[in-house]
């Protein structure tokens, strides 16, 4: 189980993590939460139906990592597509941000609930928590990949990510990016019928 997820009864998964891996995962999830930003909590006296129709931003985020997490729906080749993307964003981005925040919070909470035994612990996730973890692992990889300016050619075993010299300052983030990918892949494989 060390380093990869394995299926558990009930549709969940488990993985053994050492203290450093737990700290890295938690730190990355917290940084993702900070990047996504706080949610807009409806006021107690606010109409719940009105909250459903609250409008979000119509412009894409300026930060490239956020733009990758919240991409344009229809592209921006012409004014009509830009207008359709803006309209789509207005009514979907707040919900998407909420879901991404919830996924990252599940990662933090499940890691915080671990009881280390020796130098690590076994993280056991329910089926629902597995879905949250998959979403958050994907968001973390998208964010790190954007910061590293990863291309499709870089992201394979023949690509340059695997051949970075240890002196390259990007090396720690590349290692985190590749490790998150391996975790994500084994979690997907675990959940496949």
């Amino acid at each position: 189980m060390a380093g990869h997820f394995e299926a558990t009864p009930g549709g969940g998964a488990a993985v053994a993590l050492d203290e450093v891996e737990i700290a890295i995962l938690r730190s990355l999830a917290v940084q993702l939460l900070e990047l996504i930003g706080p949610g807009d909590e409806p006021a107690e006296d606010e109409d719940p139906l009105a909250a459903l129709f609250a409008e979000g931003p119509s412009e894409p985020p300026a930060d490239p990592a956020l733009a990758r997490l919240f991409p344009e729906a229809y592209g921006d080749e012409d004014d009509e597509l830009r207008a359709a993307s803006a309209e789509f964003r207005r009514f979907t981005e707040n919900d998407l941000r909420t879901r991404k925040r919830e996924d990252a919070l599940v990662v933090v909470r499940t890691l915080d609930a671990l009881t280390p035994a020796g130098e690590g612990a076994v993280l056991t996730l329910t089926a629902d928590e597995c879905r949250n973890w998959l979403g958050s692992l994907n968001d973390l990889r998208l964010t790190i990949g954007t910061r590293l300016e990863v291309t499709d050619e870089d992201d394979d075993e023949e690509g340059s990510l695997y051949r970075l010299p240890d002196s390259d300052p990007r090396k720690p983030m590349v290692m985190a990016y590749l490790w998150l990918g391996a975790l994500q892949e084994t979690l997907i494989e675990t959940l496949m019928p």
Side-chain angles (χ1 to χ4, degrees), residues 7-13 125-128 130-131 190-191:
T8 60
L125 304 173
T126 66
D128 286 340
C130 286
R131 286 186 282 283
T190 299
L191 301 176

Side-chain angles (χ1 to χ4, degrees), residues 3-83:
H4 65 274
F5 281 96
E6 291 183 6
T8 60
V15 63
L17 300 169
D18 65 31
E19 290 180 20
V20 172
E21 292 168 329
I22 293 167
I24 291 170
L25 282 166
R26 189 181 190 291
S27 174
L28 290 172
V30 168
Q31 290 176 55
L32 180 62
L33 284 166
E34 291 170 355
L35 178 67
I36 293 169
D40 294 329
E41 294 296 322
E44 285 185 32
D45 59 344
E46 186 177 350
D47 178 9
L49 190 57
L52 284 175
F53 296 101
E55 293 184 17
S58 60
E59 295 295 320
D63 182 320
L66 281 173
R68 185 70 177 102
L69 292 175
F70 306 105
E72 291 285 66
Y74 304 109
D76 61 357
E77 290 81 38
D78 61 42
D79 290 339
E80 190 174 312
L81 288 177
R82 275 191 293 278

